[in-house]
Amino acid sequence: MRIALVGQPNCGKSTIFNQVAGYRSVTSNFPGTTVSYTISDVRFGNRVFELIDLPGIYSLSPTDEAERESRRFILRTGADLYINVIDASLLSRSLEFTIELMELELPMIVCLNMMDEALEKGIVIDVDKLSEILGVPVVPAIAKRGKGVKELFETALKAVEEGVKTSPPKFCRGVERYIISLEDRLKKIEIVGKFPSRFIALKLIEQDEEISSMVYRYSPDLKGFVEDVRKKLFEGHERTPEEIIASQRHSLAFSIFEEVSRVRRVKPSFRDRIDAILLNPYIGYPFLFLTLYAFFSLVFRFGALLEEPLLSLFESIFNGISTTFRAKGLSFFIFKGVYDGFTGGLAIVLPYLLPFLLGLSFLEDLGYLPRIAFLMDALMHRIGLHGKAVLPLVLGYGCNVPAVMAVRILDSPRDRFVASILAVMVPCAARMTIIMGLVGFYLGGGWAFFIYALNLFMIGLVGWIFSRLLPGYCEGLIMEVPPYRLPTLRTVLAKTWLRLREFIVIAWPLLIGGSIALSLLTYYGLESKLNSFLSFITGTLGLPSQVGVTLIFGIMRKELSLLMLKQALGGNLAILSAVQMLVFTVFVVFYFPCVSTLGALLKEIGTRKALFVVLLTTVLAYILAMIVRGVSLLFLY
C-alpha cells in the first residue's frame, strides 16, 4: 500500500512524514525545502505501508521543477491514498489546490495542519462541516507537536479500506455547460479512463501542454472544438479561459472557507511586531549582518575552545602508543593513518561542524531564512538573479548538494545555471571547518571573516558577470514568508543528527581511508611523485610541495584537505606561514566541487554545464589564490 502526502509548500508535510517515519526528511520553516520526494516504509499498528513525502505544489499547473516532480508522481506513478495536507491558517488559499485534486477524483483525505496558528489568527474552523462539504474525512492536527498524527493515519488506513474517493465540485452554470459539452466529446476517446473526463476537459481549456498533446494525438480533430469553447468563454466573460477557471476555483474555495469558518478580530501579534522591525529596510540589514556575524563567531569560539586541547591530548596519546612499535614498518604507517583520520575528524571537524549545524537548524526552523531572502531580493536583482536564488545559496552553507538540488525552485534555465555556479562557491560546512580550523585557529577570527567576505564578494561578482553574459529577464520575487515558529528542541536535534550522521557514516570513514592511503603513499615513496606532479600548482602558489596530494583528497571530501594537510606536514600545521595558510584556504574554498556536489550538478544542469562549473571554479580558485598571495605578502611577511 502506498500513501502520499501532498499539499502546498510549507504546510507541514515533511513534519508529518518525520513523525511516523523517523527523521529522514529535512524540514524547514520556508517554502521549497523539499525538491524531490522521499519514501519510507512505515509500520502503523499491524499494517505496513509506503509513505511518500512529495515536494510542495501550489497547483497542477506547475511553475518550477519541484512542482513538476509532484505533478509527475500524481499523474503517472500514483498512490492508493493521498493525504492533502492543508495549512489551516491559510485555509481559503489552500482549498484551491484541494479542488484541483478533487477534479482528479483521487482517493483522498484532508489533514488540517497548524490548527494552533489558525486560532492565533482568530480563525475558528468547523471541521465536521468542512468534511461534509468536501465529501472526504478531515482530520485536524498540530504536526510539530505530534497532535492528531495518530488519528490522521488511523483515518487514512480506514479510508483505504472503505475506498474513499473525491468528486469534483461544480462551477457556475455559464462555465459548467462548456465543460460538460467538452466532456461529452471526450467520452468517445480512448484516453478517457486513465484520467477523469472533467479533469481532461479543464486541462484542455487551460491549454495544459502535456494533457493537450496526449489528447490531440488520439483525436486531432478535437483541437478545433476546444478552440471554439475557449473562444466562447472569452466572449462571454471577457477574460482568458485560464483566468476564468482559476477564478472559479478561487470563488469555490472562498465560499467553502466562509461556510466553515468564523474569523475573530485579533490584535497584531508579537510576531507581526518583530517582522515590522526585522524587515524594515533600515534596521533589517544591520540586524541581518549582526545575526550572521554572531552566528559564525559562536561557531568559531566553540570550535577553537575544543580544538587545541583535543589535538594536544591525541598527540600525547599517539606518542605513548607509537613507542610500542619497534620499527616504522608497514603496520606503523597503517596504524598512523587510522589514528590520524579518526582523531582529526574528532578534534578538527566536529568541534566546528556540530555548533554550525545546530545553529543552521535553529535559524531554518525559526523562519528567519525566508526573511533573509526578502531582504536580499534587491541585492540579488542587482546581480541579475531572482530573489528566490538566495535560498539555494543559504542551503549551501550547510551542504552544496541540497543547494544545487534546490535550484529547481527557480523557473528559468538561465537562473538555475547561474545559481548552480554560485551555490558551489558557497563555503559548505566542510569548507567552514577548514576556514575555522586553519585560518581562524592560527591567524584569528578576523582573517576567517576576511575569507567569508571575499567569498561573498566573488559570488556577487560572478553572478553579476554571468547574468549579463547570458540572455534572459529577471522576474520579481513572489514568495510566501511563513510566520515565526519557535523550533522544538527535538526537531533541531533530530535535524542536526540527520546532517551530522552523513559526516559520521560517509565522510569520516572516507577521512580515515584517505589518511591510510596517504600513509601508504608515504611508506611506498609514491607521495613525493604525486607532489612532484602537482608542483606546477603548489610551486606557483608558494605552498610546500607536500600540499599537492592533499588537494586530490579534497576532491573526494573537502574535510580531507585539512586532515591530509596535517598528516602531510607531520602533524604540525603551524609550520605553514600565515601567507601559506591563507593561500591554501582560499584555493580549497573555491576549487573543484566535491564528488557528491559534482553528481548533483550533472543531474541538475547536465554534463557540459557541470564540467564548465568545475573548470570555472578551479581557474577562479587559482587566480584568487595568486592574488591573495601577492597582496598578503605585503602585510603578513
Side-chain angles (χ1 to χ4, degrees), residues 38-267:
T38 310
I39 303 178
S40 175
D41 287 333
V42 171
R43 175 175 288 279
F44 191 83
N46 58 356
R47 303 285 298 271
V48 178
F49 57 88
E50 214 171 39
L51 185 64
I52 299 106
D53 177 23
L54 293 175
I57 175 169
Y58 284 106
S59 84
L60 289 172
S61 301
T63 58
D64 60 45
E65 191 50 41
E67 289 192 328
R68 278 188 274 277
E69 179 94 358
S70 285
R71 173 176 149 136
R72 273 195 291 273
F73 181 90
I74 295 167
L75 298 187
R76 297 179 190 177
T77 308
D80 298 296
L81 184 83
Y82 290 86
I83 298 177
N84 176 208
V85 183
I86 285 178
D87 180 349
S89 67
L90 300 169
L91 181 59
S92 176
R93 190 197 71 182
S94 306
L95 284 172
E96 291 182 40
F97 180 56
T98 305
I99 290 168
E100 273 201 85
L101 292 174
M102 292 170 76
E103 287 160 4
L104 268 167
E105 298 179 23
L106 296 172
M108 186 178 86
I109 67 169
V110 171
C111 171
L112 264 185
N113 192 22
M114 304 182 194
M115 289 294 283
D116 53 339
E117 293 186 14
L119 280 174
E120 282 181 26
K121 287 185 176 179
I123 303 170
V124 181
I125 301 169
D126 186 336
V127 177
D128 293 335
K129 197 166 187 177
L130 180 62
S131 174
E132 184 186 331
I133 292 172
L134 297 178
V136 295
V138 178
V139 182
I142 305 172
K144 65 183 178 185
R145 296 183 200 159
K147 209 170 172 182
V149 174
K150 184 184 173 194
E151 292 80 1
L152 176 65
F153 283 95
E154 284 173 349
T155 307
L157 293 174
K158 193 177 172 189
V160 174
E161 288 172 5
E162 293 176 356
V164 169
K165 207 172 179 183
T166 54
S167 78
K170 303 295 180 190
F171 296 158
C172 73
R173 285 185 188 176
V175 176
E176 196 63 39
R177 63 191 171 110
Y178 292 112
I179 298 171
I180 292 171
S181 68
L182 190 49
E183 275 189 83
D184 289 339
R185 291 288 300 264
L186 283 166
K187 284 173 185 168
K188 299 170 187 168
I189 305 173
E190 283 182 43
I191 191 73
V192 176
K194 185 174 180 183
F195 300 116
S197 58
R198 182 182 179 81
F199 171 77
I200 296 176
L202 287 168
K203 288 300 163 194
L204 289 176
I205 292 172
E206 291 177 314
Q207 290 191 316
D208 183 278
E209 197 175 323
E210 182 184 359
I211 299 296
S212 296
S213 63
M214 189 167 59
V215 173
Y216 296 150
R217 196 166 59 243
Y218 283 89
S219 179
D221 58 322
L222 193 65
K223 198 169 184 178
F225 187 81
V226 173
E227 284 303 319
D228 189 48
V229 166
R230 284 176 55 83
K231 187 180 174 188
K232 287 175 180 172
L233 278 168
F234 180 77
E235 289 172 351
H237 297 80
E238 295 186 345
R239 298 164 77 184
T240 66
E242 291 87 344
E243 288 174 337
I244 294 167
I245 300 298
S247 66
Q248 288 291 313
R249 291 191 188 114
H250 177 76
S251 173
L252 269 174
F254 194 71
S255 298
I256 295 171
F257 172 74
E258 283 194 318
E259 209 169 332
V260 303
S261 61
R262 287 182 293 111
V263 182
R264 293 181 282 108
R265 180 172 291 182
V266 293
K267 294 179 181 176

